[in-house]
């Protein structure tokens, strides 16, 4: 089952969403989870509140495999660093911070200072280099 426009595997996305729902129910978790929508491809990536998530692009030669890998979303061409940004969960609040990336991280068109966490809200737009992403929150 694939999207006719972008080629995304819809069955894989549906299976992931079902697994997330079951996990949340079993854990009784009500913390916000985060879905990142890569605007150029329409691909979505779910980030659970159980640990920090690194965003960047993979470099297997150096053993770098970020939690949110933008390599296939034209990350290299778009100026995404290998370890570009980090998402962290602290209670009900979610934070975004730039990790000293070469081309910077913008949050709603505002350039972030490296290593200074900023609150992330539903509908915020992130730009890592030239790769645009929308943040959407949902309850687990």
């Amino acid at each position: 089952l694939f999207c006719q426009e972008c080629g995304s595997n819809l069955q894989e996305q549906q299976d992931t969403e079902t697994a997330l729902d079951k996990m949340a129910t079993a854990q009784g978790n009500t913390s916000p989870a985060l879905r990142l929508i890569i605007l150029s491809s329409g691909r979505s990536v779910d980030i659970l509140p159980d640990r920090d998530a690194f965003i960047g692009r993979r470099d297997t030669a150096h053993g770098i495999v970020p939690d949110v890998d933008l390599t296939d979303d034209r990350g290299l061409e778009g100026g995404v660093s290998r370890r570009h940004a980090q998402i962290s969960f602290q209670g009900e609040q979610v934070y975004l911070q730039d990790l000293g990336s070469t081309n910077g991280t913008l949050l709603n068109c505002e350039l972030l200072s490296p290593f200074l966490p900023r609150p992330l809200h539903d509908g915020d737009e992130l730009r890592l280099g030239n790769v645009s992403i929308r943040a959407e929150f949902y309850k687990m």
Side-chain angles (χ1 to χ4, degrees), residues 52-55 83-88 95-99:
D52 294 347
F54 292 94
I55 307 171
R83 290 178 54 92
H84 197 107
Q86 177 180 0
I87 301 282
S88 57
Y95 294 91
L96 170 70
Q97 72 175 315
D98 180 83
L99 297 175

Side-chain angles (χ1 to χ4, degrees), residues 87-128:
I87 301 282
S88 57
F89 294 83
Q90 296 179 6
E92 290 288 315
Q93 185 60 59
V94 180
Y95 294 91
L96 170 70
Q97 72 175 315
D98 180 83
L99 297 175
S101 65
T102 301
N103 293 306
T105 301
L106 280 80
L107 176 59
N108 298 320
C109 300
E110 183 180 333
L111 183 64
L112 299 183
S113 298
F115 306 105
L116 182 63
R118 294 282 302 277
L120 192 60
H121 302 96
D122 189 54
D124 280 350
E125 186 171 319
L126 295 60
R127 198 170 85 212
L128 284 68

Side-chain angles (χ1 to χ4, degrees), residues 31-104:
S31 297
L34 175 63
R35 178 168 292 141
L36 299 178
I37 311 293
I38 295 87
L39 298 180
S40 61
S41 66
R43 183 172 71 94
S44 65
V45 179
D46 290 315
I47 301 174
L48 300 179
D50 58 347
R51 63 184 177 89
D52 294 347
F54 292 94
I55 307 171
R57 58 181 174 80
R58 73 180 163 271
D59 180 352
T60 53
H62 293 97
I64 299 171
V65 182
D67 301 298
V68 180
D69 183 2
L70 298 175
T71 304
D72 295 336
D73 300 292
R74 301 186 48 83
L76 178 60
E77 300 90 331
V80 175
S81 296
R82 291 173 187 93
R83 290 178 54 92
H84 197 107
Q86 177 180 0
I87 301 282
S88 57
F89 294 83
Q90 296 179 6
E92 290 288 315
Q93 185 60 59
V94 180
Y95 294 91
L96 170 70
Q97 72 175 315
D98 180 83
L99 297 175
S101 65
T102 301
N103 293 306

